[in-house]
Every structure is written in structure tokens, then in C-alpha cells.
Amino acid sequence: MKAKIARILENTYEACVKEGDLDANPLPQYVIEVPNRAEHGHYAANLAMALASIQKRPPRKIADALLSRLADAEGIIERAEVAGPGFLNFWVRDQVWRSFLIHVVEEGEKFSASTLGKGNKILVEFVSANPTGPLHLGHGRGAALGDTLSRILEHCGYELVREFYINDAGRQVRLLGESIYSRWRQSRDPEYPFPDEGYHGQYISELAQRISNETDLESLSEEEAIALCADRGKEIMLQEIREDLKNFGVEFDVWFSELELHKSGLLQETLRLLQSRGYLYEKDGALWIKTTEFGDDKDRVVRKKDGEYTYFASDISYHLHKKRRGFDKAINIWGADHHGYVNRVKAALEAQGIDGQWLHVLLIQLVKLWKGGQEIKMSKRAGQYVTLRELVEEVGRDAVRFLFLTKNHDSPLDFDIDMAKKRDPNNPVYYVQYAHARICSIFRKAQEESLALPSQPQEVVNRLELPQELELIRIMAQYPDLLEEISKALEPHRLTYYLTELASAFHRYFNLGTKDPACRVVCQDPKLTQARLLLAQGARTVLASGLGLLGVGAPERM
RNA sequence: GCGCCUGUAGCUCAGCUGGAUAGAGCGCCGGGCUUCGAACCCGUAGGCCGCAGGUUCGAAUCCUGCCAGGCGCGCCA
């Protein structure tokens, strides 16, 4: 709907220029918004204010000029006015809203599909947890964010790939093997040392148990046994990670192995490329990359004195590979503790002639867990933390996914388990789901009375006249615009707020019927009932679509 | 010390990317079910948008400097 208003404004501007009311200049950046206050119209535009400095005239004068030549070819505007410092406020005709509702019902969930991303390929890399331990809450937040963002981008027409980068090459996998092996040895020799930086946690002992059941570790040398523990441990953990994510509603298109990067020779090739561009040099026996030439604080080591490549070297190569795969944009979702990394990866990309803007890194801040009014402290080193699996088992997938998206990713998130488990208004996920279930209940009631959606909606839709009914349609009309804005700003949390608002408008409308039976959806008048069923169906469509994009269920009963 | 993030109602957070009288949920206080689901609705109270400057028609939003909190500053991954 915003696009329609924009077209009117553009045509109006051209008309004003043509008639000599305004000087010929390119259209400036301006905003069309849904005002907070109803008396400011259905839509408001700040075009006249944006033009003021260019045209060197007061904004209200410009607004008056625009208004006098309003180019509303389709005839959708009921009323327009100049207000405040120079806003153009628009009221759209009721008939237009009613037609929009029919459009929603006829198209179903695809009514909000967009061509914004047509022909654009995006890679979203998220979670990317080391296969050395179970997923924790931070991974869960990243999973919810990455998956919902992916779903929204796909909905807006982008060609999208979800990718999980597996850090299976470095020392940490070796350490996993040593930790498992040590626990196995300790089961018969309690004095056997545990590695200094080893992985703690119950799961290590469980892995030791499982692997020693599969294989006769006694028959292997220590070195062979550790290698086997590392290999199997990694495999099993990866399998668990996949399962956890699947249960969380998240599936990846590509599982990209760091080890493959080494094996395929891609890593060496990347370094040769950098070498030929003159960005590598030797110092103190190590190989360095000149990231300082691209804004990094200091140069970074890519190959250590001992000949091993750094994690950073893999990452440079990995991101170059992403670029080569033809993506127009890469989005990475990282924990905030990796923020120091952003500049150096971008610097390395620029060293290879790639614009750093190509890579978008979303940093997610910490998740704190609260229970019984107390923070549950987590320590990865001590192996004490709540896993994603435990949280999902305790509070349910829907609540976890929804609540992880009620805050901007760069703001820390306090997750209150007691609140999340409540099936009451403290919990916004049930508030939204309840609206959906309520609508389903209305349709069950209608069916009992042999009433259904009209076959000729045009003939009854004019019966929607209550302000609350038209308001509900207007909120539905914001949905496609919102999804496009989310796609541009990469801010999926806005969807949860929108759905809460939509649910609220529906509950408000529904409650009219508790005071006045004439306001019920299923009422005495069959035509009016049909019209209201259209409205309910539209609201249900948007709620189901939005919940679907969040990866949250849209229940018919609760 | 340097870098990134955060600071908005008692609490947890939004604030459409610079717009009009700053919003929501919870909590407090008060009201609403005899037929579509009360897991709901309606109302009251509650604000130096961390502080101080600056930019302009206009700032919670942009810039500078402080203050407070979180995270990060390895030839670890």
C-alpha cells in the first residue's frame, strides 16, 4: 500500500514540476509512514519537508502546491491534508481497504509475497557451533534469528542459502578427543590426567562410554585411541547438533567443513592469491597479512611458526569461497564476543578486491537465564550451562523461538524461564496464538450454523463498516510493507511486535461482541456474517503467515 | 588504555532509520462474561529518552565529550 502512495506522490511531484510550481530536481529521499495518531491519517509523507531545502521554500507552501495537483489516477484517496510542519496526510477510501481484504483472502498467504529480492542471492551463515559440545542458549538465539531472517528474505523473493560452518579442523577437535580419552582412562585409572584446556561437562563422559562400547579402545595405542575419540566424538556431536536444530525448526542447506577447505587446497590457493597481490609477508618465522592497510588495528598471522594455519586463514579462504559462489550478499550471525573479528575479515576481503560492505555481520548479545528470580550463571569451562535442548524441552519450541525474537539482536536478552513457561498474558507467544485459535473457533461456530465464506465476496464486503473492522484491515495491509522493511534492515524482531499488535486489534474487535451481540462475527444477519468471516479469514491468514515465518505454530485450538 | 554494543515508565523492552502530543507488555489501582474461547477487553496512575554541548525548520534517533554496564583486544578456536 505504501508503494501506491509513493506512486501518487511521484506523479504529483512531476506534475508540479511540469506546471512550473516547483523547480526541476530529482526526487529526494523521503518517508511514507503509518502515523501513530489516527487524526494524522492512514499514511503520512514528509516529502514537502524533504523538498524544502532543495526548493528553498517553506515546507507548507510546497505541501500546498503538491496537494493542489494530487495525481490520484486510481482514485484511492478519500481525503488529503497538509498538517503540522508540512506533512501530507492521506486517508484511503474504505472501498480500497475492502478490496484489499478480498485480495488477502483470495491469495492466501502468498498475498504478501514480494519481488524485492528477485534475482538476488543471499547466503546466511549462522549457528556454526564447534562440534565439541552441545548447543547452548546463544546458539539458540542465533538459530532463531538466522532462520527467521532467512524465511522472511525467501518470502520477499531472495534466493537464499542457509549455511552452517563446521570448525572441524583445528586443535579443539583434538582436545575433544583428549578429553574423551581421558575420561575413559579415568574410569579404570583415576590418576590419569585430564587435559588443561579440556572440555568438561557430563556429555564427555557419556561420549567416552559410548565410544568405548563401540570400539575396543584397549587394543589401540594411546595416539590411535585419541584420534578415534576425536573423530567419533566430533561425528556424534555434529549429529546431536543437527537433531537439536531440527527439533528447533531449523534446517540448513549446506554444512560447510573447514577441514574440506584444507583438503581441497582452497586455503593454500587463497594465500597464493594474497601473496601475488603483495599482502603477505614473513616475520618471526610466521606468515602475516597486512590487514592494517584496510583499517584493521594490526596485521594478523595466517600461518604460525609451527607451520599450522590459523583459524583466521581458514576464515579468509572461506569467505572468498562464499563470494565466488556468486552471492550478492553474505550475512553472518556471530556472537558478540566475536566482534573484534568483523573488521579483520572485512579487511581481508578488501585485500582481495571485495567490498567489505558485501558482508553483513549481525552480532548477537548475550542471553542471560533467569529462574525463580535468580540468574543462572553459566560457565563453559566448568561445563555448567543450560543447553538449547534442555530449554526447548522445558518451555517448548514456540515460546523459545518467539521470545528470542522479541528483542533487537544487539541488545542483551534476559530469558526468564518461569515467564516463558506461563500460559498466560505474560507470555506474548500465547497471546498471538490465542488470536489465531479464537478465529478458528469462530469458523467452527459458523460451520455449526452452516455459514461459510461468501463465494462472491464483492457482494457482501461493503457490510464491513465498523471502525474496528476497517482498522483491522489497515493493520493487515502493513504486513507486506513490514516484511520488505525487515528484509532491508535485517531486523526480524519487528515481526513479533507487529503480530502482537495485529492480535491485539483482533482481540479488541472480538470483545465488541461480548457487549453487543450485533457486533459478533456470527450474528443474526447472514450477509453481515459472511462479510465478517472474510475479515476473520484475512486476519487468520496474516497471523498464520507471520507465525510461520517465526517458526512458531499456529494452533487451531489451545 | 583501545575497539564494539547498551543506557527510554517500578521491571522487560519497542520506537518504522531525522518528524507531529515518546509507545507496548508485565506490575499497581479500578471496571467488564447469560449465546462466536475471560489464555480476552476497557480505564487510571507512572517519563530530565544516562549527563552536557553541537548540527537544523525539527533530535530518543546524527556529531563531539563525559558517566555507567556488558563484551572483546593471542603465532587460541
Side-chain angles (χ1 to χ4, degrees):
Chain A
M1 196 60 78
K2 278 188 186 177
K4 289 192 177 192
I5 304 289
R7 202 172 315 124
I8 290 172
L9 283 169
E10 281 155 31
N11 291 340
T12 302
Y13 181 68
E14 272 179 33
C16 285
V17 168
K18 197 172 165 194
E19 299 295 328
D21 299 339
L22 296 172
D23 301 333
N25 284 303
L27 203 65
Q29 281 272 319
Y30 69 100
V31 175
I32 297 168
E33 61 183 2
V34 177
N36 292 323
R37 305 178 150 272
E39 65 262 33
H40 294 149
H42 300 154
Y43 292 96
N46 67 348
L47 178 60
M49 282 119 88
L51 281 166
S53 62
I54 305 168
Q55 299 279 342
K56 299 191 176 59
R57 296 170 60 186
R60 284 198 67 113
K61 292 274 185 215
I62 297 170
D64 285 336
L66 289 167
L67 197 57
S68 70
R69 297 200 190 278
L70 201 63
D72 176 20
E74 284 184 75
I76 67 168
I77 302 299
E78 170 79 35
R79 186 157 77 82
E81 66 173 23
V82 176
F87 285 103
L88 282 165
N89 294 339
F90 297 101
W91 282 261
V92 174
R93 291 173 52 211
D94 291 350
Q95 210 46 49
V96 176
W97 296 119
R98 294 181 184 124
S99 299
F100 180 80
L101 174 62
I102 292 173
H103 166 69
V104 173
V105 173
E106 286 181 347
E107 297 292 313
E109 290 194 21
K110 69 175 189 291
F111 91 92
S112 57
S114 152
T115 54
L116 178 73
K118 202 175 171 206
N120 264 280
K121 284 176 69 179
I122 297 185
L123 179 83
V124 182
E125 183 217 323
F126 57 112
V127 186
S128 297
N130 289 352
T132 53
L135 295 175
H136 55 71
L137 299 190
H139 297 130
R141 191 178 183 187
L145 178 73
D147 187 54
T148 292
L149 182 59
S150 298
R151 290 178 194 222
I152 294 171
L153 289 169
E154 276 176 328
H155 195 79
C156 286
Y158 290 92
E159 195 178 318
L160 195 120
V161 172
R162 294 166 171 82
E163 186 155 306
F164 187 116
Y165 180 62
I166 311 166
N167 297 136
D168 52 3
R171 221 184 62 200
Q172 75 278 22
V173 172
R174 164 82 191 180
L175 205 53
L176 174 72
E178 289 173 3
S179 304
I180 296 169
Y181 178 76
S182 166
R183 288 298 183 229
W184 172 71
R185 279 289 295 266
Q186 284 174 348
S187 65
R188 51 210 69 202
D189 173 12
E191 298 300 307
Y192 190 85
F194 191 74
D196 285 346
E197 307 270 313
Y199 293 96
H200 293 77
Q202 183 58 33
Y203 73 98
I204 294 292
S205 304
E206 288 164 12
L207 286 171
Q209 184 69 44
R210 181 166 162 187
I211 292 169
S212 63
N213 286 347
E214 289 172 353
T215 311
D216 180 16
L217 293 176
E218 299 275 12
S219 67
L220 300 175
S221 71
E222 179 165 323
E223 192 48 44
E224 287 169 335
I226 288 174
L228 184 120
C229 285
D231 238 38
R232 275 300 287 151
K234 177 180 81 181
E235 269 175 34
I236 295 168
M237 283 322 306
L238 206 53
Q239 191 54 37
E240 305 256 310
I241 287 170
R242 276 178 205 256
E243 274 173 34
D244 285 355
L245 288 168
K246 199 172 176 191
N247 289 333
F248 199 49
V250 179
E251 299 202 46
F252 286 88
D253 304 301
V254 179
W255 295 77
F256 195 100
S257 158
E258 184 187 359
L259 208 55
E260 282 303 311
L261 220 47
H262 289 75
K263 285 187 186 165
S264 65
L266 200 62
L267 190 133
Q268 286 78 1
E269 189 196 327
T270 308
L271 294 184
R272 276 198 298 277
L273 195 71
L274 285 166
Q275 183 79 276
S276 69
R277 285 173 167 262
Y279 293 119
L280 296 186
Y281 64 93
E282 301 243 5
K283 194 182 85 179
D284 304 333
L287 190 63
W288 298 68
I289 174 171
K290 292 183 194 169
T291 47
T292 45
E293 291 201 8
F294 303 95
D296 196 7
D297 301 343
K298 43 186 158 184
D299 291 344
R300 308 289 169 177
V301 171
V302 290
R303 195 184 60 219
K304 297 182 274 181
K305 211 182 327 187
D306 65 9
E308 291 279 309
Y309 292 103
T310 60
Y311 175 78
F312 183 47
S314 303
D315 237 22
I316 296 172
S317 163
Y318 174 46
H319 283 89
L320 177 67
H321 187 59
K322 275 187 188 174
K323 178 69 183 173
R324 279 191 187 160
R325 285 193 276 161
F327 292 101
D328 299 289
K329 188 190 280 192
I331 300 171
N332 286 9
I333 296 170
W334 285 350
D337 53 346
H338 287 72
H339 76 254
Y341 233 70
V342 178
N343 274 340
R344 80 183 75 154
V345 171
K346 289 193 175 190
L349 284 172
E350 292 191 359
Q352 296 176 108
I354 298 163
D355 184 358
Q357 296 290 313
W358 171 77
L359 176 66
H360 297 250
V361 181
L362 306 185
L363 296 172
I364 38 177
Q365 298 290 328
L366 223 64
V367 178
K368 276 189 198 168
L369 207 54
W370 292 74
K371 192 171 186 176
Q374 292 208 317
E375 185 184 347
I376 302 177
K377 292 277 187 187
M378 306 204 208
S379 155
K380 194 163 188 178
R381 200 160 21 144
Q384 266 181 357
Y385 50 92
V386 177
T387 62
L388 177 63
R389 178 180 294 185
E390 288 162 350
L391 186 71
V392 169
E393 279 170 2
E394 188 163 355
V395 310
R397 189 189 75 175
D398 288 350
V400 174
R401 284 195 65 139
F402 195 99
L403 291 170
F404 272 158
L405 285 169
T406 52
K407 283 158 187 67
N408 198 328
H409 60 81
D410 56 16
S411 160
L413 186 138
D414 284 348
F415 195 100
D416 184 335
I417 291 190
D418 303 318
M419 192 272 269
K421 283 172 77 176
K422 281 185 192 161
R423 315 212 152 216
D424 69 13
N426 288 11
N427 197 332
V429 63
Y430 295 112
Y431 182 83
V432 176
Q433 288 182 320
Y434 181 52
H436 185 270
R438 242 183 175 178
I439 294 171
C440 293
S441 169
I442 291 172
F443 275 91
R444 286 192 293 269
K445 169 80 178 173
Q447 197 172 15
E448 281 171 23
E449 309 200 2
S450 304
L451 290 161
L453 286 169
S455 54
Q456 299 295 322
Q458 300 82 348
E459 291 171 9
V460 296
V461 74
N462 285 351
R463 300 296 305 278
L464 296 175
E465 291 173 320
L466 295 172
Q468 291 85 348
E469 291 170 335
L470 291 160
E471 176 63 15
L472 199 45
I473 302 174
R474 278 181 217 120
I475 294 174
M476 288 158 51
Q478 292 175 25
Y479 184 66
D481 294 331
L482 176 78
L483 294 180
E484 292 196 349
E485 282 160 21
I486 289 173
S487 296
K488 290 179 196 158
L490 310 180
E491 291 176 342
H493 71 283
R494 286 171 55 185
L495 183 54
T496 57
Y497 285 86
Y498 169 78
L499 289 175
T500 305
E501 189 188 336
L502 176 63
S504 173
F506 181 78
H507 286 313
R508 194 159 47 239
Y509 171 59
F510 180 90
N511 267 273
L512 292 176
T514 62
K515 293 193 191 84
D516 180 1
C519 291
R520 290 187 186 147
V521 173
V522 178
C523 59
Q524 296 297 323
D525 180 337
K527 294 279 185 205
L528 184 53
T529 298
Q530 286 191 317
R532 287 177 175 165
L533 284 173
L534 273 178
L535 183 67
Q537 176 64 13
R540 177 163 71 173
T541 301
V542 180
L543 286 168
S545 168
L547 287 170
L549 293 174
L550 289 172
V552 172
E556 298 193 0
R557 297 172 200 269
M558 293 172 70

